[in-house]
């Protein structure tokens, strides 16, 4: 399988608030570094390095990517990601090596259902975020754009493929991840929703365009609140997620959330009790796969998190390295003829992350050779 990587994704390196402490974010450049190292070592996977449009001489590349991102993300929000650090520097609120974290969040009031962005720089950091694990440092925007560009390029690669047999698939080593971002707020280490970038790109390139039926399978340990939000009323997009029950992001992910309007029935949440083992996980996975198959999508995006691993500091499922091959083979078995883009989301057990990714790719490809 083609694996896409961009060294610009290593630049973002920030902090998060955990308990009463500010510490280096678990979502770190070392994650991607260890995966790239592992995949280069074995050499079986087609690792390709992509150049970010921010470092390209051709300004039309950045323009094209931004127009894709802006289909689901607010321009004021994107400007905030781009400019906040420089604004804080200009006001001498921060040192070059420091990170912006929010101070005050938006919350429901009887007077305002949709408050405008505040002028105060401290307040703006909270207006455009929903938690304190999405700091902004001087290189954040560069990595966010590189990450979104990998998602976008993965769709171009997918549609360029002329495979003799089997459906094409591309794996994008996105970082920062995306599934917690709803297009107007950062949170859970996510700044731009890379799944949404894929879908907008697919709609812009494919013959079926806006009529394309698209499936999303979210396998990160955490519920993809941002992705769910973006497609909750969209009957052309089916979102299925397996995630830790009552875990972060806390306010979404219940099985009662089934979609809105014409899209009722196109959102499937499968929360799984903390501590669940592989057998319990596979039951939910099969449910998700059958629902996705019945939706008859022409294109699939997998949000792939490895924080379901038994040693992950943020997860609590009992899934081991060998299981990832079985999970991948299971997806490929049920959704065999679907062109698929796989996007990296979470996964924080650094010493095992590379082998877990490798196991998943091997399971995926073994199934393709059958
Ligand atoms: C992409 C991704 O995996 N983002 C996850 C971000 C989760 N950040 C918050 C983790 C909160 C941990 N709090 C521990 C409380 C004890 N359950
Ligand atoms: Zn996660």
């Amino acid at each position: 399988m083609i694996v896409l990587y961009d060294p610009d994704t290593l630049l973002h390196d920030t902090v998060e608030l955990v308990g009463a402490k500010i510490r280096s974010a678990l979502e770190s450049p070392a994650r991607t570094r260890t995966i790239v190292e592992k995949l280069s070592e074995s050499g079986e996977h087609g690792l390709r390095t992509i150049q970010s449009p921010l470092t390209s001489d051709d300004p039309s590349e950045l323009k094209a990517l931004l127009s894709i991102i802006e289909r689901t993300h607010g321009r004021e929000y994107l400007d905030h990601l781009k400019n906040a650090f420089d604004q804080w520097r200009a006001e001498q609120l921060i040192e070059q090596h420091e990170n912006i974290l929010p101070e005050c969040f938006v919350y429901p009031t009887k007077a305002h259902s949709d408050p405008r962005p505040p002028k105060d720089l401290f307040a703006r950091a909270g207006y455009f975020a929903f938690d304190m694990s999405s700091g902004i440092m001087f290189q954040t925007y560069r990595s966010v754009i590189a990450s979104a560009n990998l998602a976008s390029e993965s769709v171009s690669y997918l549609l360029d493929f002329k495979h003799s047999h089997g459906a094409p698939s591309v794996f994008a080593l996105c970082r920062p991840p995306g599934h917690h971002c709803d297009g107007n707020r950062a949170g859970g280490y996510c700044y731009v929703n890379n799944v949404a970038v894929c879908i907008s790109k697919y709609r812009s390139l494919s013959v079926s365009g806006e009529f394309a039926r698209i499936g999303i399978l979210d396998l990160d340990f955490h519920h993809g609140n941002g992705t769910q939000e973006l497609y909750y009323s969209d009957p052309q997009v089916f979102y299925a997620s397996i995630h830790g029950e009552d875990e972060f992001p806390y306010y979404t992910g219940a099985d009662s959330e089934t979609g809105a309007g014409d899209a009722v029935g196109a959102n499937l949440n499968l929360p799984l009790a903390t501590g669940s083992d592989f057998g319990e996980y596979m039951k939910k996975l099969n449910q998700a796969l059958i629902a996705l198959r019945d939706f008859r999508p022409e294109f699939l995006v997998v949000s792939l998190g490895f924080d379901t691993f038994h040693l992950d500091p943020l997860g609590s499922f009992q899934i081991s390295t060998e299981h990832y091959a079985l999970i991948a083979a299971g997806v490929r078995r049920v959704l065999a003829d679907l062109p698929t883009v796989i996007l990296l989301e979470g996964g924080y057990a650094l010493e095992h992350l590379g082998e877990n990714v490798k196991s998943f790719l091997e399971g995926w490809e073994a199934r393709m050779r059958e």
Side-chain angles (χ1 to χ4, degrees):
M1 175 155 34
I2 301 269
V3 181
L4 303 184
Y5 159 69
D6 181 338
D8 264 19
T9 63
L10 304 175
L11 298 172
H12 167 68
D13 192 356
T14 188
V15 295
E16 65 180 319
L17 182 87
V18 182
K21 291 186 176 54
I22 304 274
R23 67 173 190 199
S24 294
L26 283 174
E27 200 294 289
S28 71
R31 298 176 59 237
T32 300
R33 250 188 245 120
T34 185
I35 296 171
V36 168
E37 214 167 89
K38 194 78 187 176
L39 296 183
S40 312
E41 210 171 83
S42 68
E44 302 152 34
H45 305 285
L47 193 62
R48 302 203 187 181
T49 304
I50 300 289
Q51 193 191 357
S52 165
L54 272 179
T55 59
S56 160
D57 295 330
D58 179 0
S60 71
E61 288 180 26
L62 180 59
K63 235 180 123 201
L65 177 63
L66 286 173
S67 91
I68 292 292
I69 299 175
E70 282 169 11
R71 291 185 193 202
T72 48
H73 294 67
R75 187 160 301 175
E76 279 192 290
Y77 170 63
L78 295 171
D79 284 344
H80 168 75
L81 293 180
K82 183 178 172 200
N83 299 325
F85 190 86
D86 293 341
Q87 291 164 343
W88 280 55
R89 283 291 284 157
E91 302 282 322
Q92 297 174 357
L93 299 172
I94 203 167
E95 302 285 340
Q96 187 63 18
H97 66 274
E98 289 180 322
N99 308 263
I100 301 174
L101 280 184
E103 166 203 276
C104 180
F105 296 107
V106 181
Y107 56 93
T109 66
K110 287 177 178 145
H112 303 286
S113 60
D114 195 14
R116 296 296 309 147
K119 295 196 183 78
D120 183 274
L121 287 184
F122 288 93
R124 288 173 69 82
Y127 180 84
F128 291 117
F130 70 83
D131 75 356
M132 297 183 78
S133 50
S134 23
I136 295 179
M137 47 83 77
F138 81 108
Q139 307 264 50
T140 295
Y141 188 68
R142 275 199 46 196
S143 288
V144 168
I145 290 296
S147 186
N149 186 56
L150 288 178
S152 168
E153 283 297 297
S154 67
V155 174
S156 302
Y157 267 82
L158 194 77
L159 294 175
D160 279 350
F161 272 137
K162 296 190 175 60
H163 268 244
S164 48
H165 95 111
S169 40
V170 180
F171 182 32
L173 288 178
C174 294
R175 174 180 184 274
H179 75 151
H180 294 305
C181 172
D182 68 359
N184 289 301
R185 270 163 289 267
Y189 308 138
C190 302
Y191 302 81
V192 161
N193 192 305
N194 299 317
V195 171
V197 172
C198 281
I199 290 177
S200 297
K201 178 76 169 214
Y202 186 86
R203 285 171 164 172
S204 82
L205 291 181
S206 73
V207 180
S208 39
E210 298 300 315
F211 298 102
R213 297 172 70 81
I214 298 169
I216 304 169
L217 175 61
D218 192 326
L219 300 180
D220 188 273
F221 175 76
H222 304 98
H223 181 243
N225 59 300
T227 309
Q228 168 173 297
E229 183 74 14
L230 282 165
Y231 298 103
Y232 205 63
S233 310
D234 189 335
Q236 302 300 107
V237 176
F238 192 101
Y239 176 77
S241 173
I242 305 161
H243 48 267
E245 190 166 24
D246 301 325
E247 292 276 346
F248 180 90
Y250 308 118
Y251 303 105
T252 58
D255 56 8
S256 57
E257 297 158 11
T258 58
D262 293 347
V264 169
N267 196 85
L268 179 65
N269 283 329
L270 298 166
L272 193 52
T274 55
S276 292
D277 63 19
F278 177 66
E280 290 160 315
Y281 187 88
M282 285 309 273
K283 279 188 210 150
K284 299 283 184 196
L285 179 63
N286 283 320
Q287 247 179 288
L289 292 173
I290 285 161
L292 279 164
R293 190 187 60 194
D294 291 350
F295 185 73
R296 292 180 294 104
E298 62 172 66
F299 170 51
L300 178 71
V301 186
V302 179
S303 261
L304 182 57
F306 290 91
D307 36 12
T308 49
F309 186 56
H310 66 112
L311 297 174
D312 195 278
L314 290 183
S316 65
F317 293 160
Q318 298 304 309
I319 289 180
S320 58
T321 300
E322 311 75 64
H323 292 148
Y324 288 109
L326 301 173
I327 290 169
V331 176
R332 213 52 181 161
R333 182 161 50 244
V334 180
L335 303 175
D337 50 353
L338 265 185
T340 301
V341 163
I342 302 167
L343 305 179
L344 184 66
E345 299 284 356
Y348 311 97
L350 271 186
E351 310 76 59
H352 301 272
L353 191 52
E355 63 201 35
N356 288 345
V357 170
K358 219 173 144 226
S359 170
F360 187 95
L361 293 182
E362 279 164 8
W364 190 273
E365 288 179 344
R367 179 65 211 179
M368 277 169 81
R369 280 194 295 271
E370 277 172 28

